[in-house]
Amino acid sequence: MERRSMLYSGIAWTSNGYEIEVVGEDGRHATPPVRFGAGQQREMIAYLQGIAKPSGQSLVTVVESTNGVLDGGMMVSGLDVYRADPWVLPERPLFGSVTAHALAQAARQDLSALARLQIDGGTLTGRIDELDAGIARSAAAEDALTRAGRCLRHGGRERADIALTFDDGPNPPYTGQILDILERYGVPATFFCVGLHASARPGDIARIADMGHAVGNHTWSHPFLPDLSRPQLGEQIERTEEVLVNAGGAVSRLFRPPYGSRTPEVMDWLSAQDVTVVLWDVEPFDWALPGPGVITEKVLAQARPGSIVLMHDGGGDRSQTVAALPGVIEGLLDRGYRFVLVDELLSPHQTA
């Protein structure tokens, strides 16, 4: 069988959206460079889907490890997505990824040096052991911040309070659907929002806040934090905070690290940022699309008094999360839980 020629697309993130460049096996542009706004993920996916089909060529799409908001939706749409890590790329600027051209060329020059992403592995496919090792090394720093009331994995275990949290939005239509369900049940939640998405949809942030939910900071581009420098992390947090405040949504300094990623160095940087780090103790892995029933069952099985439940309204197709949410809420209500905002769980005296 004759081998199909390859096209390599790189996606860079910027302060206001995304840039795409596509090159062929000879390194030349196969299409003109194109830009998409921060709220145009669907249009961007449709654009990439349409590139290879007329020519019959195979297309791979490359994102950086500092861009964790696109690959889920792209993989569900049938795109072949790879992640490029810092050691195969030029140095990044203070704010933004390396260029789309550099990402496309990295794939063209040595695709085997990149990680091919899988839905059940997410953006960190191939680096989960590194993530876990960094978290383990951070235990002492996490404990110190927890004792100071600056880090929260769960609240006190003496009362049947529980906090629902949603990451990676706002992301239509799922954020709106989740808000509708929460309103129907009269349940509060905390939304950890990505700056790129929030900048494109300030109305969604305003609606979250107007409905009495809390808004937290989830960085600008959902990076793997150990891949950032201290100044880069600061830019991610402060620019996201500015967007959230301007949209009327940020009334706290709650911060959730993407993937829960941390190292002792990252925890030290966060301690200087005057944020409260919010982790979780209930995770149904809804981002891996296990099915609504599985999502509901995992939440109910893991929940304890004071728990923080991690789910997602952004980062891809969240229809399963939407479908699971009524069962989650009803199941927890049947068990006598009271839903609260994360702020209400804050205490300097949490125990495991």
Side-chain angles (χ1 to χ4, degrees):
M1 180 182 295
E2 184 178 353
R3 186 183 73 87
R4 299 173 70 186
S5 61
M6 298 289 295
L7 295 175
Y8 305 92
S9 60
I11 304 180
W13 65 268
T14 69
S15 61
N16 55 15
Y18 304 96
E19 299 175 353
I20 297 179
E21 292 197 23
V22 183
V23 301
E25 292 182 345
D26 59 1
R28 297 180 180 179
H29 281 109
T31 63
V34 62
R35 294 173 178 264
F36 289 89
Q40 293 185 297
Q41 291 94 340
R42 287 176 177 80
E43 294 86 345
M44 184 162 49
I45 289 172
Y47 170 78
L48 290 168
Q49 288 175 321
I51 287 177
K53 289 179 181 178
S55 65
Q57 294 171 292
S58 296
L59 174 72
V60 299
T61 298
V62 185
V63 296
E64 243 199 21
S65 65
T66 63
N67 180 352
V69 294
L70 296 178
D71 58 275
M74 289 181 168
M75 285 188 283
V76 168
S77 300
L79 294 171
D80 198 9
V81 186
Y82 286 73
R83 184 196 67 243
D85 293 309
W87 50 87
V88 300
L89 296 172
E91 185 175 355
R92 286 189 310 275
L94 176 62
F95 192 69
S97 68
V98 302
T99 66
H101 186 73
L103 290 167
Q105 292 291 358
R108 183 187 71 84
Q109 291 164 5
D110 187 1
L111 190 60
S112 66
L114 279 57
R116 186 179 185 183
L117 303 187
Q118 305 292 331
I119 289 177
D120 60 357
T123 314
L124 290 186
T125 298
R127 296 184 73 178
I128 300 300
D129 288 347
E130 180 184 351
L131 168 70
D132 291 342
I135 291 173
R137 290 192 296 112
S138 303
E142 181 183 330
D143 288 346
L145 275 183
T146 298
R147 289 193 298 272
R150 297 273 312 283
C151 182
L152 184 69
R153 183 185 295 275
H154 58 76
R157 300 300 193 185
E158 66 279 0
R159 295 189 305 181
D161 292 341
I162 197 162
L164 296 180
T165 67
F166 297 90
D167 284 11
D168 301 351
N171 176 32
Y174 309 113
T175 302
Q177 292 170 350
I178 287 170
L179 289 171
D180 291 343
I181 294 169
L182 295 173
E183 184 175 29
R184 185 164 78 240
Y185 287 96
V187 167
T190 303
F191 289 79
F192 288 92
C193 299
V194 173
L196 258 173
H197 292 172
S199 68
R201 306 193 183 279
D204 289 343
I205 303 300
R207 184 188 175 198
I208 291 170
D210 290 345
M211 290 178 64
H213 305 297
V215 178
N217 189 319
H218 200 39
T219 71
W220 187 266
S221 67
H222 205 280
F224 183 49
L225 296 188
D227 285 353
L228 299 181
S229 67
R230 182 171 185 161
Q232 287 168 342
L233 175 59
E235 286 290 309
Q236 289 260 348
I237 293 174
E238 295 306 323
R239 294 205 189 202
T240 301
E241 188 73 14
E242 181 180 1
V243 165
L244 298 178
V245 168
N246 288 341
V251 294
S252 69
R253 293 283 286 179
L254 299 178
F255 174 77
R256 173 166 283 163
Y259 322 103
S261 59
R262 53 200 186 272
T263 62
E265 295 78 15
V266 168
M267 294 298 284
D268 180 60
W269 301 344
L270 290 173
S271 70
Q273 280 288 326
D274 189 29
V275 296
T276 296
V277 178
V278 180
L279 304 172
W280 59 87
D281 66 331
V282 176
E283 183 175 14
F285 297 99
D286 60 328
W287 52 268
L289 307 179
V294 174
I295 295 169
T296 301
E297 290 170 7
K298 286 188 174 181
V299 172
L300 298 181
Q302 296 175 31
R304 297 174 59 193
S307 282
I308 298 175
V309 182
L310 169 63
M311 292 189 288
H312 297 79
D313 62 322
D317 180 352
R318 297 297 169 242
S319 58
Q320 292 187 6
T321 303
V322 172
L325 186 55
V328 167
I329 293 173
E330 292 174 12
L332 291 172
L333 287 173
D334 288 345
R335 288 160 172 77
Y337 283 98
R338 182 178 78 101
F339 292 93
V340 300
L341 300 175
V342 163
D343 305 71
E344 298 176 64
L345 296 178
L346 281 169
S347 167
H349 305 296
Q350 301 135 20
T351 57

